[in-house]
Amino acid sequence: DTAVSQTPKYLVTQMGNDKSIKCEQNLGHDTMYWYKQDSKKFLKIMFSYNNKELIINETVPNRFSPKSPDKAHLNLHINSLELGDSAVYFCASSSQYSYNSPLHFGNGTRLTVT
Amino acid sequence: DAKTTQPTSMDCAEGRAANLPCNHSTISGNEYVYWYRQIHSQGPQYIIHGLKNNETNEMASLIITEDRKSSTLILPHATLRDTAVYYCIVRDNGGIISSGSARQLTFGSGTQLTVLP
């Protein structure tokens, strides 16, 4: 009954490849997010998305694109992977209709680009 | 969102209370104080949040000073499983229908709490 689940847990790939990370939440939330945690352990917001609005952190390269087939899913697609994309990526969700709704995070996808 | 300052690391003996401080001297009137923690190899986990009053739940207590410029997260009886990085975040909750940016959390570097046996 995992609330926010990400797949795969580990992803090893070569430079230049295109890959996707999937995220699903079963909490009925309407807003989802992607965060990146680099080797120094800093967590940085990449995107927040609901059916009305996509907010993109201006530092995120356009090789990264979120794709949402429905409210329960927000997948992260990455084109032309680079060495610097190696990091742990976390998906999260919350409810914009619950005034104090905290964010619920998945357990991350560790991406290694070789 | 206001910036927060936390000690880089702290130790606590198992079974004792862990008191984690956070300074947020530039907090504005409509900003809440949130605490999250990240246990190694897991995603961040929500602990507690508050605006002005002290708050308590099954995980922890949150003490916010009267001027709201600082707060303390208290784990009353720390266990080895409480070893984690603890993040103090201040954020404007916005209205019921608010933009996605208002829902984002900006994480600082946090406090590495190590609970010692």
Side-chain angles (χ1 to χ4, degrees):
Chain A
D1 59 346
T2 305
V4 181
S5 59
Q6 300 178 224
T7 55
K9 186 174 175 63
Y10 300 97
L11 181 56
V12 181
T13 188
Q14 293 183 330
M15 287 175 56
N17 285 346
D18 301 340
K19 290 293 179 184
S20 291
I21 305 172
K22 295 184 177 180
C23 179
E24 176 182 4
Q25 54 93 7
N26 63 5
L27 297 167
H29 288 163
D30 46 60
T31 305
M32 297 183 72
Y33 311 79
W34 278 102
Y35 280 79
K36 178 182 179 180
Q37 188 167 40
D38 60 24
S39 57
K40 296 183 179 179
K41 303 298 184 183
F42 288 113
L43 269 162
K44 296 181 182 177
I45 181 72
M46 301 177 70
F47 306 99
S48 65
Y49 179 80
N50 62 24
N51 61 352
K52 296 177 182 176
E53 191 173 29
L54 171 64
I55 304 293
I56 303 172
N57 185 315
E58 61 188 12
T59 67
V60 176
N62 58 14
R63 298 181 293 103
F64 290 77
S65 58
K67 298 186 189 301
S68 180
D70 55 58
K71 275 178 53 174
H73 297 83
L74 184 66
N75 303 324
L76 181 64
H77 191 75
I78 315 168
N79 290 326
S80 303
L81 279 156
E82 300 177 357
L83 292 176
D85 297 334
S86 295
V88 181
Y89 293 85
F90 290 97
C91 177
S93 71
S94 71
S95 170
Q96 70 168 344
Y97 295 104
S98 175
Y99 192 75
N100 291 319
S101 173
L103 270 63
H104 293 258
F105 285 82
N107 279 327
T109 295
R110 181 174 294 277
L111 172 65
T112 303
V113 182
T114 62
Chain B
D1 288 345
K3 184 177 178 180
T4 62
T5 305
Q6 300 177 250
T8 303
S9 63
M10 293 180 63
D11 292 342
C12 175
E14 188 178 17
R16 304 296 291 271
N19 298 294
L20 292 95
C22 179
N23 288 325
H24 30 80
S25 58
T26 59
I27 193 170
S28 62
N30 57 349
E31 287 183 313
Y32 283 68
V33 180
Y34 282 78
W35 282 84
Y36 282 73
R37 73 180 182 183
Q38 187 175 21
I39 297 170
H40 182 62
S41 298
Q42 296 182 21
Q45 176 190 24
Y46 165 78
I47 300 173
I48 198 168
H49 74 279
L51 181 63
K52 296 180 181 179
N53 299 323
N54 298 337
E55 302 287 344
T56 296
N57 63 20
E58 65 277 5
M59 289 183 69
S61 295
L62 174 60
I63 308 298
I64 303 174
T65 58
E66 191 170 343
D67 63 8
R68 302 206 326 120
K69 293 185 177 182
S70 65
S71 60
T72 301
L73 178 74
I74 301 172
L75 308 178
H77 305 287
T79 70
L80 298 179
R81 286 175 292 183
D82 292 322
T83 292
V85 178
Y86 286 76
Y87 297 98
C88 169
I89 303 164
V90 293
R91 190 191 77 176
D92 181 353
N93 258 17
I96 292 177
I97 300 177
S98 64
S99 71
S101 60
R103 294 289 167 185
Q104 296 178 359
L105 291 176
T106 302
F107 287 81
S109 53
T111 296
Q112 171 66 58
L113 173 69
T114 302
V115 180
L116 303 171

